[in-house]
Amino acid sequence: GENVEQHPSTLSVQEGDSAVIKCTYSDSASNYFPWYKQELGKRPQLIIDIRSNVGEKKDQRIAVTLNKTAKHFSLHITETQPEDSAVYFCAASSTPSGSARQLTFGSGTQLTVLP
Amino acid sequence: DTEVTQTPKHLVMGMTNKKSLKCEQHMGHRAMYWYKQKAKKPPELMFVYSYEKLSINESVPSRFSPECPNSSLLNLHLHALQPEDSALYLCASSRVLGQGRPSNQPQHFGDGTRLSIL
């Protein structure tokens, strides 16, 4: 099955600085890579995703890059703000059943933005 | 607004009780999921339903019994749970592009049910 590794487990940055979180995956057949933000006591919220036919995607201060050859993808947050503080999960999608996607999550990164 | 609604938000039950968790979505999604999440850990997939049929069961103990009565509802029936089953139980839904075709559509999560087993 798919295995997703995520680094770092904790990350502290000063407000206004950039933050980068990296993930690697094992299954070359995985073709969809979402990132979720989860604030304490709340549900995971999709913040950005990328499909395997694209190398980079950007949405305002958030960007994701994908290197299919190396099987790794990264989340970049620029101009960080205190409200960006949360746990971020990467995930990779495989389709073992053929009709429903199965997400495998990374272990999470606790991002703290210091004012 | 949360598009996937889960009830109850909190549940405390004894090890001999029987209870059910409920999940509802009205986005027309035909795939629905149950996840278990322990504190400071990622969500762990339990079950996947596709077109109201159980598609994936990740070797979950039989004390958890899923049910998908229609395309909008997903239940998780609980019986004889153990203290280690205390966790946040998340429901999610996504589109499926036709029978037998994989979908790269996002999964939308509900707020979860925080379950405590005494």
Side-chain angles (χ1 to χ4, degrees):
Chain A
E2 176 64 277
N3 181 48
V4 178
E5 293 191 0
Q6 182 172 348
H7 299 280
S9 57
T10 61
L11 178 60
S12 292
V13 299
Q14 289 294 136
E15 183 177 357
D17 287 351
S18 295
V20 180
I21 303 171
K22 299 183 179 183
C23 290
T24 60
Y25 61 99
S26 60
D27 187 352
S28 57
S30 288
N31 54 11
Y32 173 69
F33 307 92
W35 285 87
Y36 286 87
K37 174 185 180 182
Q38 188 173 27
E39 297 177 63
L40 190 63
K42 301 207 174 168
R43 63 189 171 97
Q45 284 192 294
L46 180 73
I47 55 171
I48 196 167
D49 57 10
I50 191 166
R51 292 168 172 76
S52 58
N53 59 345
V54 175
E56 184 173 358
K57 184 177 178 180
K58 190 173 182 180
D59 183 5
Q60 299 183 337
R61 297 187 296 110
I62 296 173
V64 59
T65 59
L66 171 65
N67 184 326
K68 284 176 56 181
T69 303
K71 291 191 279 189
H72 67 71
F73 56 113
S74 301
L75 177 71
H76 304 253
I77 306 174
T78 59
E79 300 172 25
T80 54
Q81 301 166 3
E83 51 265 37
D84 294 330
S85 297
V87 178
Y88 290 80
F89 293 103
C90 64
S93 171
S94 57
T95 54
S97 71
S99 63
R101 263 188 312 107
Q102 179 173 349
L103 285 181
T104 301
F105 286 85
S107 54
T109 297
Q110 173 67 63
L111 174 64
T112 303
V113 180
L114 305 169
Chain B
D1 288 339
T2 303
E3 297 166 318
V4 178
T5 303
Q6 290 187 244
T7 56
K9 294 189 184 305
H10 303 275
L11 179 61
V12 180
M13 57 187 287
M15 290 189 284
T16 59
N17 292 157
K18 286 185 180 180
K19 296 285 185 182
S20 296
L21 309 184
K22 297 187 184 299
C23 175
E24 187 170 4
Q25 58 87 15
H26 293 288
M27 295 180 283
H29 292 169
R30 301 305 296 273
M32 296 186 76
Y33 310 77
W34 279 115
Y35 289 89
K36 173 183 178 181
Q37 187 178 28
K38 299 284 254 184
K40 300 186 186 298
K41 297 290 186 182
E44 295 176 39
L45 184 66
M46 300 175 71
F47 302 104
V48 181
Y49 273 83
S50 180
Y51 291 94
E52 296 84 69
K53 290 184 172 52
L54 185 62
S55 177
I56 296 174
N57 176 343
E58 290 288 354
S59 303
V60 180
S62 59
R63 57 186 184 268
F64 295 92
S65 175
E67 179 196 19
C68 191
N70 60 54
S71 60
S72 300
L73 293 175
L74 184 66
N75 298 322
L76 186 63
H77 303 297
L78 315 173
H79 174 55
L81 295 193
Q82 303 298 308
E84 61 264 28
D85 296 324
S86 297
L88 180 68
Y89 287 83
L90 292 162
C91 173
S93 69
S94 73
R95 293 174 61 189
V96 180
L97 295 179
Q99 289 280 5
R101 291 181 58 194
S103 166
N104 282 332
Q105 301 302 310
Q107 288 188 21
H108 298 261
F109 284 86
D111 288 331
T113 294
R114 191 159 298 282
L115 177 65
S116 298
I117 307 300
L118 302 179

